Amino acid sequence: YLEGKNVELMANSDNVLRAGLTPKHMDIPELIKNVQFKGTIPHILTGRKTDASMEMYDTKVSDFGIGMLRLGKGKNVTCQSVSPEMYLVQEGILRFNAGTVIRAKKGEVVFVAADVEYELEALERVVAYKAFVP
């Protein structure tokens, strides 16, 4: 990624072409055959609002789902996990309360087990991404 804020969530795969910074096998000729060095216009996904704080994105796969949480400072929401969930905080500080209280700030991830009721509260304006199993 060359600019902007990007979040990438991938399914398990063994079809990786590595380009460097790893001791693992790198197939440079195959990588070069697959890379196009030309400008493109990115396809930016738009989500659909499921409530005032969550926007869900269509992943077109059954392996995982992803949503974006936006909460203003001092706002809170109560949630119920149906599957394991992970929240990646991109902006602000998010307070998780599932019996145990955790504060997560920009760049941190919190795991929520399946079938758990929990509360989220924005200690600052928050943008976070939630990964889950649909």
Side-chain angles (χ1 to χ4, degrees), residues 1-10 42-43:
Y1 304 112
L2 300 179
E3 64 183 58
K5 295 180 178 180
N6 300 283
V7 172
E8 182 177 28
L9 181 61
M10 296 173 45
H43 172 69

Side-chain angles (χ1 to χ4, degrees), residues 64-98:
F64 58 82
I66 188 167
M68 179 176 57
L69 173 76
R70 291 180 190 262
L71 282 177
K73 181 178 180 177
K75 299 292 183 184
N76 62 10
V77 62
T78 300
C79 304
Q80 174 70 44
S81 62
V82 177
S83 72
E85 300 176 349
M86 291 188 321
Y87 283 85
L88 166 63
V89 179
Q90 189 178 49
E91 183 179 315
I93 300 174
L94 189 57
R95 180 182 172 269
F96 290 81
N97 184 355

Side-chain angles (χ1 to χ4, degrees), residues 7 48-57 66-72 75-79 85-96 104 110 112 118-132:
V7 172
R48 84 185 139 69
K49 284 267 199 199
T50 56
D51 62 37
S53 61
M54 187 64 74
E55 195 169 325
M56 302 304 272
Y57 294 89
I66 188 167
M68 179 176 57
L69 173 76
R70 291 180 190 262
L71 282 177
K75 299 292 183 184
N76 62 10
V77 62
T78 300
C79 304
E85 300 176 349
M86 291 188 321
Y87 283 85
L88 166 63
V89 179
Q90 189 178 49
E91 183 179 315
I93 300 174
L94 189 57
R95 180 182 172 269
F96 290 81
V110 173
V112 180
Y118 58 97
E119 182 183 55
L120 303 173
E121 179 186 0
L123 301 180
E124 296 177 357
R125 180 184 178 282
V126 166
V127 176
Y129 288 88
K130 175 177 92 165
F132 60 96

